[in-house]
Amino acid sequence: MNQPRRRATYDDVLNAPENVVAEIIDGELITTPRPAAPHALATSVIGADLIGAFGPPDNPGAPVRWWILFEPELHLGEDVVVPDLAGWRGERLPDVPATAVIELRPDWVCEVVSPRTGTIDRGRKMQIYARERIPHLWIVDPIARTLEVYRLAESGHWIVASTHVGDETARAEPFEEVELRIARWWTNSVAR
C-alpha cells in the first residue's frame, strides 16, 4: 500500500543543499542544480539591460520605475518559487524588503529555461503565475535563442504577446520603452 506523500514545508527549502535551487510547487519539493553558463549569461544580460533602463535611479529620492531582482524567493500562496528574474513597479513596491522572502506578487517574471527546468517552468510555474495574476511573463530559451512574451488575459489565461528569435531587436511588454538586442543574451553571439 502506498503511503501518502508528505507535503513539503519551508524547512525542506531551508535544509536543501546550497548548490541547488529549492522550490515548493503543489506541495512537492523541487530541487534543480545551479544553471549552466548559457542560462547564467542570458539571465545576467537581461537583468543588466532592464536594470540599466528601468532600475533604481542614480538620483536619490527620484521615483523608482521598476525593481528588478535576480532569483527572488517568492511565497505565493502555499507555493515557494524562485523565478530567474522578477520585477515590481516602483509604485507597488516603493522599497525592496530587507528579507529573503517576498510575498507581494511581481508585475513581471522571467524564466530562463534549460533542459532540466523547461517542463516545470512552462507548466506548473506558468500556472502558479497565472493563478497569482502576475500580468507579464517572459520565457527565454538560450539554446533555441528565443524570447516568448506572455500577457495575462482577464480570463486568467496566458496570451502570447510576441515572440523574438536569434539576433532580432525587441520591444517586449512590459518594457516596450527600451529596444533589447537579444543577440547579446546568447553564448557565442557575434553581436555583443
Side-chain angles (χ1 to χ4, degrees):
M1 186 180 254
N2 287 340
Q3 296 263 12
R5 184 172 41 104
R6 179 183 74 81
R7 290 186 68 78
T9 67
Y10 191 59
D11 282 338
D12 296 318
V13 171
L14 294 175
N15 293 323
E18 289 186 24
N19 63 333
V20 301
V21 175
E23 301 175 294
I24 298 174
I25 299 175
D26 302 324
E28 178 184 357
L29 179 68
I30 306 289
T31 59
T32 53
R34 288 284 166 194
H39 181 287
L41 174 69
T43 304
S44 297
V45 179
I46 293 165
D49 286 350
L50 296 178
I51 291 168
F54 297 100
D58 293 336
N59 177 8
V64 174
R65 293 167 61 188
W66 283 88
W67 289 108
I68 308 291
L69 300 179
F70 290 85
E71 295 188 346
E73 183 177 306
L74 305 178
H75 288 216
L76 303 174
E78 293 184 7
D79 297 303
V80 176
V81 294
V82 181
D84 293 297
L85 292 157
W88 291 260
R89 293 181 186 277
E91 63 268 13
R92 287 193 58 247
L93 184 70
D95 292 303
V96 173
T99 60
V101 172
I102 299 177
E103 293 182 353
L104 179 66
R105 71 144 175 90
D107 296 295
W108 165 82
V109 291
C110 177
E111 292 290 358
V112 179
V113 300
S114 68
R116 288 188 175 197
T117 66
T119 301
I120 291 171
D121 291 340
R122 291 179 179 279
R124 296 164 79 182
K125 288 177 83 173
M126 278 184 83
Q127 292 170 2
I128 292 167
Y129 298 149
R131 179 195 75 210
E132 295 299 317
R133 310 288 306 164
I134 296 172
H136 301 280
L137 165 67
W138 289 5
I139 299 286
V140 175
D141 186 331
I143 304 303
R145 297 180 178 204
T146 58
L147 163 62
E148 300 166 18
V149 178
Y150 294 90
R151 175 186 330 119
L152 191 66
E154 286 188 33
S155 65
H157 294 92
W158 291 111
I159 296 171
V160 177
S162 62
T163 57
H164 308 276
V165 297
D167 61 357
E168 292 182 18
T169 56
R171 291 191 181 272
E173 295 181 15
F175 305 108
E176 302 96 316
E177 296 172 49
V178 67
E179 187 172 80
L180 300 168
R181 293 177 39 230
I182 67 172
R184 298 177 63 245
W185 303 356
W186 322 131
T187 57
N188 301 319
S189 176
V190 293
R192 292 248 185 249

